[in-house]
Amino acid sequence: MPFHLDDLDLDSIPDPYHSVLRRMAAAVEDRAVTPAVAIKVIREHLVPLLSDVDSALVSIQGQPSWDKIRTLYPALVFASESQQKQLLAAIGRLIELFVRHSDRPPREIDFPPFIEVFSFNRVCGYLGVPIAKPLLETNDGTRDLYRFCKYCWLPARRKDVCAFHTTSFDEASAARSQPACAHISLKQAQRLRTAFEQHVLALTTRDEMEFHQSGFDLPALLPPSGLSHWLDVRRPHLASLVRKQADTSANSLRILSAVLYGEELGAKVVEAIGGAVYLWTPITTRAEGWLAAWAAKSPRGGARRRGIKLLEV
């Protein structure tokens, strides 16, 4: 079907973009808007409005598809929030309108629940790396390691929270062998959440933008070797915490897993992910954002007395 401009409420769209939408509709005419047509129109009418750096956010690799084009809208919106660039949000909105209203009833565009996983999947697509969902078998059933607790990077159990961030969790049990995020109270985690999400968004956007600017040469994914160096460069807060727990004979991945999940669960996660170490990337993104947010909070008093020195990175 063509682009149904008449279905839009133009009064809800800023005037400067009316002419852009009309030019897009004129370019389509009465043709059916296929993915190939859609990306051609987007490149000709929307990409020129962006800077060379930001235009990388409107690129797709390989054969155009609606699934690939749908990812452009949330990518631009997330980037606009991180970089405080309203133009990115506006271009994202125009893409959303174009994709939605080139069909009847309008196509649906869902926001991804976790920006770090969304971006990771995009980067994997650019590199031709298999996109996989790491699953962990536990006594409670199979858990998706990318279905995160809303307060940290651990897998959620129910109600979008992990075992440590519930009202029933016993804080006294958070010993040094527990995940790093278990060493603060639920109230602290709740207060940290906004800053945590902002840091994750900023880090995710930075990584993907630098990846595009490098011509896809930047090692955006956790590599099979050189873990310590990669953490130092890409995840400095997490690297500091890993070094704090390591000794000269320690396996870096084992230490990383223990910091992120605790020793027992961490060993199981290492086994579940196996040699596909790049699957750790969005987990480290989330952990780095959490640790950066915590470091910026400078907790005092009771937080220190509960042994939070472990988190002084």
Side-chain angles (χ1 to χ4, degrees):
M1 291 187 180
F3 179 31
H4 301 287
L5 187 61
D6 293 341
D7 291 352
L8 301 184
D9 178 13
L10 291 179
D11 290 338
S12 66
I13 302 169
D15 290 342
Y17 300 112
H18 291 188
S19 59
V20 177
L21 289 169
R22 290 192 177 97
R23 287 196 297 271
M24 294 170 72
V28 172
E29 296 180 326
D30 293 329
R31 291 180 295 164
V33 180
T34 64
V37 170
I39 198 63
K40 183 175 185 291
V41 171
I42 289 169
R43 286 170 177 165
E44 290 179 352
H45 295 276
L46 297 182
V47 172
L49 302 178
L50 298 170
S51 68
D52 290 342
V53 172
D54 291 335
S55 63
L57 292 168
V58 194
S59 65
I60 63 171
Q61 295 298 304
Q63 189 72 18
S65 68
W66 286 122
D67 285 341
K68 292 178 181 178
I69 294 172
R70 282 188 184 97
T71 68
L72 300 179
Y73 170 53
L76 285 160
V77 172
F78 283 128
S80 74
E81 293 176 358
S82 173
Q83 301 178 44
Q84 298 296 304
K85 293 182 179 179
Q86 292 185 348
L87 178 60
L88 295 182
I91 298 301
R93 174 64 170 155
L94 294 178
I95 290 175
E96 179 213 12
L97 292 172
F98 183 56
V99 171
R100 283 188 187 277
H101 294 284
S102 57
D103 199 5
R104 280 180 175 157
R107 290 187 180 88
E108 292 299 321
I109 299 181
D110 297 324
F111 255 73
F114 300 107
I115 177 60
E116 61 275 22
V117 176
F118 168 74
S119 177
F120 168 72
N121 289 342
R122 279 170 55 91
V123 171
C124 286
Y126 291 129
L127 295 174
V129 175
I131 298 174
K133 183 183 295 185
L135 302 176
L136 182 68
E137 297 296 333
T138 70
N139 293 334
D140 299 327
T142 302
R143 292 194 205 170
D144 177 359
L145 292 176
Y146 289 170
R147 183 176 172 266
F148 299 114
C149 168
K150 62 185 177 182
Y151 298 121
C152 67
W153 60 84
L154 297 178
R157 298 179 71 180
R158 52 184 174 272
K159 295 184 178 179
D160 296 327
V161 294
C162 65
F164 295 98
H165 294 133
T166 68
T167 54
S168 60
F169 175 61
D170 180 8
E171 292 179 31
S173 66
R176 288 182 65 85
S177 62
Q178 299 288 8
C181 56
H183 291 261
I184 69 171
S185 68
L186 174 58
K187 285 188 177 180
Q188 286 175 307
Q190 291 170 335
R191 288 195 293 267
L192 191 68
R193 185 181 179 187
T194 298
F196 162 45
E197 291 176 344
Q198 290 172 346
H199 278 280
V200 170
L201 174 59
L203 176 58
T204 300
T205 303
R206 185 207 71 183
D207 278 358
E208 186 162 350
M209 290 298 293
E210 290 181 358
F211 172 73
H212 283 289
Q213 292 166 15
S214 72
F216 304 163
D217 289 333
L218 180 82
L221 306 183
L222 193 145
S225 61
L227 170 62
S228 296
H229 175 71
W230 188 88
L231 289 175
D232 283 337
V233 174
R234 312 305 308 174
R235 308 288 187 265
H237 289 86
L238 184 55
S240 179
L241 195 55
V242 167
R243 279 196 302 273
K244 190 174 181 180
Q245 304 302 310
D247 58 52
T248 55
S249 62
N251 178 289
S252 295
L253 189 57
R254 288 286 180 181
I255 295 297
L256 174 65
S257 67
V259 166
L260 294 176
Y261 294 101
E263 292 180 4
E264 183 178 351
L265 182 59
K268 293 179 180 178
V269 173
V270 169
E271 183 177 352
I273 291 179
V277 295
Y278 66 94
L279 295 178
W280 287 90
T281 304
I283 301 169
T284 65
T285 303
R286 199 163 175 86
E288 178 69 16
W290 192 97
L291 291 167
W294 175 260
K297 282 290 184 182
S298 299
R300 301 181 181 87
R304 296 290 184 194
R305 290 193 295 272
R306 279 193 294 273
I308 305 303
K309 288 185 178 181
L310 173 68
L311 297 177
E312 291 177 348
V313 298

